[in-house]
Amino acid sequence: VAFCVSLPAIVLLGEASYSLYLLHIPVFVYLNKLTMWLNILFVNRCMVIGAPVFIVGCSIVVYKVIECPSRQALRKWFRDRFVKAAA
């Protein structure tokens, strides 16, 4: 079990889980509106299979593009501000 949990893909999904939590409802709503607007006849199949894959992909992108750089910037800012002040 420990081996499965330490796989890089599983670790990435765990790290992107907060982004998934934040994005799943808004992205699902917009995908639903898009499929209705496009009059896709296979909406159920598209939404059941495509929506979760798309939402997980979006959460990984948001994690890599926004969350990681923001975390690094905040750590640098705190380190520069408080470590230098303490020295």
Side-chain angles (χ1 to χ4, degrees):
V1 174
F3 171 72
C4 294
V5 178
S6 65
L7 291 172
I10 302 298
V11 171
L12 177 62
L13 289 174
E15 291 173 342
S17 65
Y18 185 65
S19 299
L20 178 67
Y21 167 73
L22 292 175
L23 292 175
H24 76 280
I25 295 295
V27 172
F28 182 77
V29 167
Y30 287 120
L31 282 176
N32 195 21
K33 288 182 181 184
L34 178 67
T35 55
M36 297 285 200
W37 181 70
L38 293 174
N39 262 342
I40 296 176
L41 298 175
F42 53 96
V43 171
N44 287 339
R45 190 174 306 156
C46 181
M47 290 301 284
V48 167
I49 296 169
V53 172
F54 184 74
I55 293 169
V56 168
C58 287
S59 69
I60 291 171
V61 169
V62 166
Y63 171 73
K64 291 285 192 178
V65 173
I66 296 173
E67 191 174 338
C68 285
S70 298
R71 184 183 305 149
Q72 290 174 350
L74 283 171
R75 284 181 180 163
K76 182 183 182 311
W77 184 80
F78 276 106
R79 185 176 49 245
D80 291 347
R81 183 174 179 120
F82 294 111
V83 171
K84 288 180 182 176

PDB file of all heavy atoms in Angstrom, residues 9-23 55-64 67 71:
ATOM      1  N   ALA A   9       2.504   9.995  -9.696  1.00  0.00           N
ATOM      2  CA  ALA A   9       1.188  10.458 -10.158  1.00  0.00           C
ATOM      3  C   ALA A   9       0.224  10.614  -8.990  1.00  0.00           C
ATOM      4  O   ALA A   9      -0.555  11.581  -8.944  1.00  0.00           O
ATOM      5  CB  ALA A   9       0.622   9.473 -11.176  1.00  0.00           C
ATOM      6  N   ILE A  10       0.277   9.708  -8.035  1.00  0.00           N
ATOM      7  CA  ILE A  10      -0.610   9.787  -6.868  1.00  0.00           C
ATOM      8  C   ILE A  10      -0.211  10.965  -5.982  1.00  0.00           C
ATOM      9  O   ILE A  10      -1.072  11.672  -5.452  1.00  0.00           O
ATOM     10  CB  ILE A  10      -0.577   8.461  -6.075  1.00  0.00           C
ATOM     11  CG1 ILE A  10      -0.996   7.281  -6.970  1.00  0.00           C
ATOM     12  CG2 ILE A  10      -1.437   8.539  -4.833  1.00  0.00           C
ATOM     13  CD1 ILE A  10      -2.396   7.370  -7.510  1.00  0.00           C
ATOM     14  N   VAL A  11       1.080  11.188  -5.828  1.00  0.00           N
ATOM     15  CA  VAL A  11       1.559  12.328  -5.038  1.00  0.00           C
ATOM     16  C   VAL A  11       1.096  13.631  -5.685  1.00  0.00           C
ATOM     17  O   VAL A  11       0.617  14.549  -5.007  1.00  0.00           O
ATOM     18  CB  VAL A  11       3.095  12.290  -4.885  1.00  0.00           C
ATOM     19  CG1 VAL A  11       3.614  13.574  -4.256  1.00  0.00           C
ATOM     20  CG2 VAL A  11       3.506  11.088  -4.053  1.00  0.00           C
ATOM     21  N   LEU A  12       1.212  13.727  -7.015  1.00  0.00           N
ATOM     22  CA  LEU A  12       0.765  14.931  -7.735  1.00  0.00           C
ATOM     23  C   LEU A  12      -0.727  15.149  -7.541  1.00  0.00           C
ATOM     24  O   LEU A  12      -1.171  16.276  -7.290  1.00  0.00           O
ATOM     25  CB  LEU A  12       1.101  14.825  -9.217  1.00  0.00           C
ATOM     26  CG  LEU A  12       0.632  15.978 -10.093  1.00  0.00           C
ATOM     27  CD1 LEU A  12       1.293  17.287  -9.664  1.00  0.00           C
ATOM     28  CD2 LEU A  12       0.908  15.682 -11.550  1.00  0.00           C
ATOM     29  N   LEU A  13      -1.517  14.100  -7.636  1.00  0.00           N
ATOM     30  CA  LEU A  13      -2.962  14.238  -7.412  1.00  0.00           C
ATOM     31  C   LEU A  13      -3.265  14.688  -5.990  1.00  0.00           C
ATOM     32  O   LEU A  13      -4.172  15.498  -5.773  1.00  0.00           O
ATOM     33  CB  LEU A  13      -3.673  12.921  -7.712  1.00  0.00           C
ATOM     34  CG  LEU A  13      -3.754  12.531  -9.182  1.00  0.00           C
ATOM     35  CD1 LEU A  13      -4.352  11.133  -9.316  1.00  0.00           C
ATOM     36  CD2 LEU A  13      -4.554  13.538  -9.971  1.00  0.00           C
ATOM     37  N   GLY A  14      -2.507  14.182  -5.039  1.00  0.00           N
ATOM     38  CA  GLY A  14      -2.705  14.613  -3.652  1.00  0.00           C
ATOM     39  C   GLY A  14      -2.357  16.076  -3.455  1.00  0.00           C
ATOM     40  O   GLY A  14      -3.055  16.796  -2.740  1.00  0.00           O
ATOM     41  N   GLU A  15      -1.282  16.519  -4.096  1.00  0.00           N
ATOM     42  CA  GLU A  15      -0.890  17.918  -3.973  1.00  0.00           C
ATOM     43  C   GLU A  15      -1.874  18.842  -4.677  1.00  0.00           C
ATOM     44  O   GLU A  15      -2.095  19.973  -4.244  1.00  0.00           O
ATOM     45  CB  GLU A  15       0.518  18.112  -4.534  1.00  0.00           C
ATOM     46  CG  GLU A  15       1.587  17.458  -3.681  1.00  0.00           C
ATOM     47  CD  GLU A  15       2.958  17.500  -4.313  1.00  0.00           C
ATOM     48  OE1 GLU A  15       3.064  17.726  -5.536  1.00  0.00           O
ATOM     49  OE2 GLU A  15       3.940  17.304  -3.584  1.00  0.00           O
ATOM     50  N   ALA A  16      -2.475  18.371  -5.749  1.00  0.00           N
ATOM     51  CA  ALA A  16      -3.426  19.195  -6.503  1.00  0.00           C
ATOM     52  C   ALA A  16      -4.850  19.063  -5.972  1.00  0.00           C
ATOM     53  O   ALA A  16      -5.774  19.628  -6.545  1.00  0.00           O
ATOM     54  CB  ALA A  16      -3.385  18.804  -7.973  1.00  0.00           C
ATOM     55  N   SER A  17      -5.031  18.346  -4.877  1.00  0.00           N
ATOM     56  CA  SER A  17      -6.385  18.102  -4.380  1.00  0.00           C
ATOM     57  C   SER A  17      -7.087  19.376  -3.917  1.00  0.00           C
ATOM     58  O   SER A  17      -8.301  19.498  -4.054  1.00  0.00           O
ATOM     59  CB  SER A  17      -6.368  17.070  -3.258  1.00  0.00           C
ATOM     60  OG  SER A  17      -5.663  17.570  -2.138  1.00  0.00           O
ATOM     61  N   TYR A  18      -6.344  20.339  -3.368  1.00  0.00           N
ATOM     62  CA  TYR A  18      -6.991  21.587  -2.952  1.00  0.00           C
ATOM     63  C   TYR A  18      -7.497  22.365  -4.161  1.00  0.00           C
ATOM     64  O   TYR A  18      -8.602  22.913  -4.142  1.00  0.00           O
ATOM     65  CB  TYR A  18      -6.026  22.450  -2.130  1.00  0.00           C
ATOM     66  CG  TYR A  18      -6.680  23.689  -1.578  1.00  0.00           C
ATOM     67  CD1 TYR A  18      -7.695  23.595  -0.632  1.00  0.00           C
ATOM     68  CD2 TYR A  18      -6.304  24.955  -2.007  1.00  0.00           C
ATOM     69  CE1 TYR A  18      -8.314  24.724  -0.128  1.00  0.00           C
ATOM     70  CE2 TYR A  18      -6.913  26.091  -1.507  1.00  0.00           C
ATOM     71  CZ  TYR A  18      -7.916  25.970  -0.564  1.00  0.00           C
ATOM     72  OH  TYR A  18      -8.527  27.095  -0.088  1.00  0.00           O
ATOM     73  N   SER A  19      -6.715  22.372  -5.234  1.00  0.00           N
ATOM     74  CA  SER A  19      -7.168  23.008  -6.474  1.00  0.00           C
ATOM     75  C   SER A  19      -8.404  22.292  -7.009  1.00  0.00           C
ATOM     76  O   SER A  19      -9.336  22.933  -7.503  1.00  0.00           O
ATOM     77  CB  SER A  19      -6.070  22.985  -7.535  1.00  0.00           C
ATOM     78  OG  SER A  19      -4.956  23.695  -7.098  1.00  0.00           O
ATOM     79  N   LEU A  20      -8.414  20.981  -6.907  1.00  0.00           N
ATOM     80  CA  LEU A  20      -9.577  20.209  -7.344  1.00  0.00           C
ATOM     81  C   LEU A  20     -10.798  20.580  -6.514  1.00  0.00           C
ATOM     82  O   LEU A  20     -11.888  20.779  -7.054  1.00  0.00           O
ATOM     83  CB  LEU A  20      -9.288  18.714  -7.222  1.00  0.00           C
ATOM     84  CG  LEU A  20     -10.420  17.773  -7.598  1.00  0.00           C
ATOM     85  CD1 LEU A  20     -10.714  17.859  -9.087  1.00  0.00           C
ATOM     86  CD2 LEU A  20     -10.069  16.354  -7.215  1.00  0.00           C
ATOM     87  N   TYR A  21     -10.598  20.717  -5.220  1.00  0.00           N
ATOM     88  CA  TYR A  21     -11.691  21.110  -4.322  1.00  0.00           C
ATOM     89  C   TYR A  21     -12.261  22.477  -4.718  1.00  0.00           C
ATOM     90  O   TYR A  21     -13.472  22.681  -4.721  1.00  0.00           O
ATOM     91  CB  TYR A  21     -11.182  21.117  -2.882  1.00  0.00           C
ATOM     92  CG  TYR A  21     -12.089  21.795  -1.901  1.00  0.00           C
ATOM     93  CD1 TYR A  21     -13.273  21.189  -1.494  1.00  0.00           C
ATOM     94  CD2 TYR A  21     -11.766  23.038  -1.375  1.00  0.00           C
ATOM     95  CE1 TYR A  21     -14.108  21.807  -0.595  1.00  0.00           C
ATOM     96  CE2 TYR A  21     -12.593  23.665  -0.472  1.00  0.00           C
ATOM     97  CZ  TYR A  21     -13.762  23.054  -0.083  1.00  0.00           C
ATOM     98  OH  TYR A  21     -14.589  23.672   0.804  1.00  0.00           O
ATOM     99  N   LEU A  22     -11.388  23.409  -5.058  1.00  0.00           N
ATOM    100  CA  LEU A  22     -11.833  24.755  -5.414  1.00  0.00           C
ATOM    101  C   LEU A  22     -12.478  24.822  -6.795  1.00  0.00           C
ATOM    102  O   LEU A  22     -13.380  25.632  -7.023  1.00  0.00           O
ATOM    103  CB  LEU A  22     -10.665  25.732  -5.364  1.00  0.00           C
ATOM    104  CG  LEU A  22     -10.086  26.025  -3.991  1.00  0.00           C
ATOM    105  CD1 LEU A  22      -8.866  26.919  -4.135  1.00  0.00           C
ATOM    106  CD2 LEU A  22     -11.118  26.669  -3.097  1.00  0.00           C
ATOM    107  N   LEU A  23     -12.022  24.002  -7.715  1.00  0.00           N
ATOM    108  CA  LEU A  23     -12.446  24.132  -9.110  1.00  0.00           C
ATOM    109  C   LEU A  23     -13.578  23.217  -9.540  1.00  0.00           C
ATOM    110  O   LEU A  23     -14.201  23.489 -10.568  1.00  0.00           O
ATOM    111  CB  LEU A  23     -11.252  23.854 -10.033  1.00  0.00           C
ATOM    112  CG  LEU A  23     -10.116  24.859 -10.017  1.00  0.00           C
ATOM    113  CD1 LEU A  23      -8.978  24.356 -10.882  1.00  0.00           C
ATOM    114  CD2 LEU A  23     -10.593  26.203 -10.507  1.00  0.00           C
ATOM    115  N   ILE A  55     -11.602  18.253 -15.242  1.00  0.00           N
ATOM    116  CA  ILE A  55     -11.486  18.960 -13.969  1.00  0.00           C
ATOM    117  C   ILE A  55     -10.186  18.589 -13.250  1.00  0.00           C
ATOM    118  O   ILE A  55      -9.499  19.459 -12.705  1.00  0.00           O
ATOM    119  CB  ILE A  55     -12.729  18.693 -13.083  1.00  0.00           C
ATOM    120  CG1 ILE A  55     -13.958  19.337 -13.726  1.00  0.00           C
ATOM    121  CG2 ILE A  55     -12.529  19.208 -11.681  1.00  0.00           C
ATOM    122  CD1 ILE A  55     -15.273  18.932 -13.107  1.00  0.00           C
ATOM    123  N   VAL A  56      -9.814  17.325 -13.274  1.00  0.00           N
ATOM    124  CA  VAL A  56      -8.549  16.912 -12.661  1.00  0.00           C
ATOM    125  C   VAL A  56      -7.379  17.543 -13.414  1.00  0.00           C
ATOM    126  O   VAL A  56      -6.419  18.025 -12.808  1.00  0.00           O
ATOM    127  CB  VAL A  56      -8.426  15.372 -12.616  1.00  0.00           C
ATOM    128  CG1 VAL A  56      -7.024  14.938 -12.263  1.00  0.00           C
ATOM    129  CG2 VAL A  56      -9.428  14.801 -11.630  1.00  0.00           C
ATOM    130  N   GLY A  57      -7.473  17.578 -14.748  1.00  0.00           N
ATOM    131  CA  GLY A  57      -6.430  18.240 -15.540  1.00  0.00           C
ATOM    132  C   GLY A  57      -6.306  19.714 -15.208  1.00  0.00           C
ATOM    133  O   GLY A  57      -5.203  20.237 -15.048  1.00  0.00           O
ATOM    134  N   CYS A  58      -7.446  20.391 -15.085  1.00  0.00           N
ATOM    135  CA  CYS A  58      -7.437  21.810 -14.710  1.00  0.00           C
ATOM    136  C   CYS A  58      -6.820  22.005 -13.333  1.00  0.00           C
ATOM    137  O   CYS A  58      -6.052  22.954 -13.119  1.00  0.00           O
ATOM    138  CB  CYS A  58      -8.852  22.375 -14.719  1.00  0.00           C
ATOM    139  SG  CYS A  58      -9.547  22.630 -16.343  1.00  0.00           S
ATOM    140  N   SER A  59      -7.136  21.127 -12.400  1.00  0.00           N
ATOM    141  CA  SER A  59      -6.593  21.286 -11.047  1.00  0.00           C
ATOM    142  C   SER A  59      -5.083  21.085 -11.037  1.00  0.00           C
ATOM    143  O   SER A  59      -4.370  21.779 -10.308  1.00  0.00           O
ATOM    144  CB  SER A  59      -7.274  20.334 -10.075  1.00  0.00           C
ATOM    145  OG  SER A  59      -6.915  18.996 -10.338  1.00  0.00           O
ATOM    146  N   ILE A  60      -4.569  20.174 -11.848  1.00  0.00           N
ATOM    147  CA  ILE A  60      -3.120  19.969 -11.920  1.00  0.00           C
ATOM    148  C   ILE A  60      -2.449  21.186 -12.541  1.00  0.00           C
ATOM    149  O   ILE A  60      -1.409  21.647 -12.055  1.00  0.00           O
ATOM    150  CB  ILE A  60      -2.796  18.677 -12.693  1.00  0.00           C
ATOM    151  CG1 ILE A  60      -3.224  17.466 -11.869  1.00  0.00           C
ATOM    152  CG2 ILE A  60      -1.312  18.597 -13.041  1.00  0.00           C
ATOM    153  CD1 ILE A  60      -3.153  16.149 -12.613  1.00  0.00           C
ATOM    154  N   VAL A  61      -3.057  21.752 -13.588  1.00  0.00           N
ATOM    155  CA  VAL A  61      -2.500  22.956 -14.217  1.00  0.00           C
ATOM    156  C   VAL A  61      -2.496  24.122 -13.230  1.00  0.00           C
ATOM    157  O   VAL A  61      -1.501  24.839 -13.102  1.00  0.00           O
ATOM    158  CB  VAL A  61      -3.275  23.309 -15.505  1.00  0.00           C
ATOM    159  CG1 VAL A  61      -2.904  24.683 -16.018  1.00  0.00           C
ATOM    160  CG2 VAL A  61      -3.025  22.255 -16.573  1.00  0.00           C
ATOM    161  N   VAL A  62      -3.597  24.325 -12.518  1.00  0.00           N
ATOM    162  CA  VAL A  62      -3.673  25.415 -11.544  1.00  0.00           C
ATOM    163  C   VAL A  62      -2.647  25.203 -10.430  1.00  0.00           C
ATOM    164  O   VAL A  62      -1.995  26.158  -9.995  1.00  0.00           O
ATOM    165  CB  VAL A  62      -5.107  25.527 -10.966  1.00  0.00           C
ATOM    166  CG1 VAL A  62      -5.141  26.397  -9.726  1.00  0.00           C
ATOM    167  CG2 VAL A  62      -6.043  26.071 -12.021  1.00  0.00           C
ATOM    168  N   TYR A  63      -2.464  23.966 -10.009  1.00  0.00           N
ATOM    169  CA  TYR A  63      -1.467  23.680  -8.980  1.00  0.00           C
ATOM    170  C   TYR A  63      -0.061  24.027  -9.468  1.00  0.00           C
ATOM    171  O   TYR A  63       0.699  24.691  -8.762  1.00  0.00           O
ATOM    172  CB  TYR A  63      -1.541  22.202  -8.573  1.00  0.00           C
ATOM    173  CG  TYR A  63      -0.398  21.782  -7.687  1.00  0.00           C
ATOM    174  CD1 TYR A  63      -0.344  22.191  -6.361  1.00  0.00           C
ATOM    175  CD2 TYR A  63       0.638  21.009  -8.184  1.00  0.00           C
ATOM    176  CE1 TYR A  63       0.709  21.825  -5.546  1.00  0.00           C
ATOM    177  CE2 TYR A  63       1.694  20.635  -7.377  1.00  0.00           C
ATOM    178  CZ  TYR A  63       1.728  21.046  -6.058  1.00  0.00           C
ATOM    179  OH  TYR A  63       2.781  20.696  -5.269  1.00  0.00           O
ATOM    180  N   LYS A  64       0.267  23.601 -10.680  1.00  0.00           N
ATOM    181  CA  LYS A  64       1.619  23.821 -11.211  1.00  0.00           C
ATOM    182  C   LYS A  64       1.867  25.281 -11.587  1.00  0.00           C
ATOM    183  O   LYS A  64       2.959  25.800 -11.387  1.00  0.00           O
ATOM    184  CB  LYS A  64       1.863  22.940 -12.447  1.00  0.00           C
ATOM    185  CG  LYS A  64       1.962  21.479 -12.145  1.00  0.00           C
ATOM    186  CD  LYS A  64       3.288  21.183 -11.528  1.00  0.00           C
ATOM    187  CE  LYS A  64       3.536  19.690 -11.488  1.00  0.00           C
ATOM    188  NZ  LYS A  64       4.820  19.368 -10.937  1.00  0.00           N
ATOM    189  N   GLU A  67      -0.361  27.712  -7.857  1.00  0.00           N
ATOM    190  CA  GLU A  67      -0.107  27.412  -6.452  1.00  0.00           C
ATOM    191  C   GLU A  67       1.382  27.258  -6.133  1.00  0.00           C
ATOM    192  O   GLU A  67       1.873  27.842  -5.158  1.00  0.00           O
ATOM    193  CB  GLU A  67      -0.861  26.144  -6.050  1.00  0.00           C
ATOM    194  CG  GLU A  67      -0.875  25.899  -4.570  1.00  0.00           C
ATOM    195  CD  GLU A  67      -1.734  24.727  -4.174  1.00  0.00           C
ATOM    196  OE1 GLU A  67      -2.638  24.332  -4.937  1.00  0.00           O
ATOM    197  OE2 GLU A  67      -1.496  24.191  -3.078  1.00  0.00           O
ATOM    198  N   ARG A  71       3.427  29.806  -3.743  1.00  0.00           N
ATOM    199  CA  ARG A  71       4.012  29.296  -2.505  1.00  0.00           C
ATOM    200  C   ARG A  71       5.490  29.652  -2.419  1.00  0.00           C
ATOM    201  O   ARG A  71       5.976  30.085  -1.368  1.00  0.00           O
ATOM    202  CB  ARG A  71       3.837  27.783  -2.439  1.00  0.00           C
ATOM    203  CG  ARG A  71       4.331  27.197  -1.132  1.00  0.00           C
ATOM    204  CD  ARG A  71       4.225  25.695  -1.099  1.00  0.00           C
ATOM    205  NE  ARG A  71       2.869  25.258  -1.381  1.00  0.00           N
ATOM    206  CZ  ARG A  71       2.584  24.111  -1.986  1.00  0.00           C
ATOM    207  NH1 ARG A  71       3.541  23.301  -2.365  1.00  0.00           N
ATOM    208  NH2 ARG A  71       1.330  23.769  -2.206  1.00  0.00           N
TER     209      ARG A  71
END
